[in-house]
Amino acid sequence: MASSKLPDLKSLGGDVEDGGGGKSKAKWCPGFVQFFFVLSVVLCVMLYSPRFFALTSTYGLDFFVQPPPGTSSRIVGQDGGGGGGDVGDVVVLDNQLRTPCSSLPGDTICCDRSDFNTDVCFMAGDVRTDAASMSLLLFPQQPPVANATVEERIRPYTRKWESLIMQKIEEVRLRMARPEEEEPGHRCDVSHDAPLLVMTAGGYTGNLFHAFSDGFVPAWLTVQHLRRRVVLGVLSYNPWWAGTYSKIISGLSDYHVIDLLHDKRTHCFPGAIVGTRFHGILAVEPTRLRDNKTIVDFHNLLADVYENGEDSVPQPQQQPQQPAAARRPRLGIVSRRGTRVIENQVAMAQLARSVGFDVDIHETANGMPLSAAYAQVSACDVLVGVHGADLTKFLFLRPGAALVQIAPLGVPPIAHGCYAASSARMGLHYEQYDVRGHESSLVRKYGRDDPVVSDPESAKRGKGWDFVAHVYLGGQNVTLDLARFGETLSRMHARAVRARSSLQRAEADATMARRT
Ligand SMILES: *[C@@H]1O[C@H](CO)[C@@H](O)[C@H](O)[C@H]1NC(C)=O
Ligand SMILES: *[C@@H]1O[C@H](CO)[C@@H](O)[C@H](O)[C@H]1NC(C)=O
Ligand SMILES: *[C@@H]1O[C@H](CO)[C@@H](O)[C@H](O)[C@H]1NC(C)=O
C-alpha cells in the first residue's frame, strides 16, 4: 500500500540543487513519508473538530474589479499591467508574470499547462458551480467569439508528473455555458463577491512536508495578492485537514471553505482560479510574481496567524523580563519514533546542555496542534533533527535561526533536496550532518563492509525506490558520534550567541533611537 504511493527511484539522483523549479529533478521529494504519517493522521482526526464547512467546486479568471468593502464586484476584462491589488480597484487573477493567461479579456477560460509540475486555469466572468458534473460554468455576457475555449479539464495538484497520485485527484471541468442553461438550473444559490480558488485537500496532504510543499505554499503564492478576498473551493475536503490547518486556511481566505464534492448548491463567483502555481520545493520565486513576494512573506503569514490569533499559544518557558540575548540559546531536537530514531538522544541532549544550550525535545506524531508546534519551534535558535517530514517546521523558525538536518546513510541527497535550498531562501543557516557507517544501525544488520553501509550510493543504484524506502528510510536508526556531533553543536552555539548579541545591539539601538 505504501509503495504504490512512492515516487520512482529515478527521482533519487543527487542533482537536486534547487528543489525543482519545473524540472524532473524535483521528483524525489518524499511521497514516502506519507506511509509513516498515516498513524498521526488518524490521531489528529480524533483530536480535531472541523472549523470550516464548505461545499463547492469552481475555477478562476483573469481580472475583475475588487469592490470597496460592502459592495459587490464587477468583472474587468483587461490586465492592469502589474502592481498586484494596488492598481485602482482592478484585481488581477493571475499574479504570475509572462504567462499565457496574464492578459485575457473577460468571459474567457484560459489554461496554462506549460509548467512541468502543475496546470492552472483561469475563468473571468460569471462563474457558477455545477456540483452534479463537478464543473464550473462560465456564463458569458456577450456571445463568445467563434474560436473561444469551450471546455477544459484539470486536476488541480502540483505533482502532474506523478500519474499514480494524479489519478486520485478529482477532475474539474471548466465549460462555457450555453445561454439556455442559465435558468432555472443554474440560478445562484450563493453569490460570492470574491473569486474562487479550487485546490485539493487530497494527494499526499496527510504528510506535513507535502501539505506545505504541494498544498499551502503553492496556494498562497497563487492567491496571496488577493489579500484573502478569495473563496477556497476544496476537493477531497475533510475535517481533519480543515481542523489541522485552520489557521493557515484563515490566513489564505476570509471566507468559509466550500466542500466542492458535497455542496450541491450553485455558488456564483466573479471569476475563478483552478489549480495552483508551483515554484519548487517549499519555494516562492519572487521574480515570477508581480509583487516580488518571497518565502519569508509566507513565513510572515504563519507568524501572523499563529502569534496574533485569538487562541494563540503562549511561548513555552518564556521569561519576558529577560531580554532575548540574556537567555541561553535554545536548541529544539525533533524526536522521531519508530524509524530514523536517534538512539542516543538522551546523551546528545546532555551534550547540548553542556555546550550551553537550553534543550527542548519536540516529539513528532503526538497530536500536538500546529499552533503549539509553531510556538515551540519559533522559540528556538537552532532546530536539529533526522531527515523527515517534520523538519518542514523549519518554516516556523525565525529568519536568522539555524536548521541542522541529520541525514542517515543513503539519505543525504534526499535530505539536501528537501530542505537545504528551501531553508536558506528563508534566511536560515542550514547545515547537514551526514551520518557515517559507524553511526548507523545498518551496521548491526549488514556489517561495516557491506556496500549498503560502506557505499550507499552504489548500493542504491538500480534497486528502485522500494529498496531506499525499506532499507535506508524505514529500516535505519542513528547513534550519533558525540565527539563529531559535538563540533556541530559548538559551532551552532557560537553562531546563536553571535546572532543574539547582534539582535541585542539592534534592540539597544532601537531603544536609543526612541529616546532621542
Ligand atoms: C481567436 O481568433 C482571433 C482572431 O483571429 C485571434 O486573435 C485570437 O487569438 C483567437 N483566440 C483563440 C483563443 O484562439
Ligand atoms: C519587484 O522587483 C522589481 C525588480 O527589482 C522592481 O522593479 C519592482 O518595482 C518590484 N515590484 C514591486 C511590486 O515591489
Ligand atoms: C529504531 O528505534 C526504534 C525505537 O527505539 C525501534 O522500535 C526500532 O526497532 C529501531 N529500528 C532499528 C532498525 O533498529
Side-chain angles (χ1 to χ4, degrees), residues 220 224 284 286 289 291-304 399 425-426:
W220 178 81
Q224 53 80 21
V284 177
L289 295 175
D291 49 13
N292 296 346
K293 287 291 199 294
T294 70
I295 192 74
V296 175
D297 294 298
F298 181 76
H299 166 83
N300 292 343
L301 165 88
L302 299 176
D304 197 42
R425 277 188 300 257
M426 221 186 74

Side-chain angles (χ1 to χ4, degrees), residues 264-280:
K264 298 303 178 199
R265 293 172 296 177
T266 298
H267 289 264
C268 300
F269 304 90
I273 304 170
V274 186
T276 59
R277 300 285 185 187
F278 184 81
H279 288 182

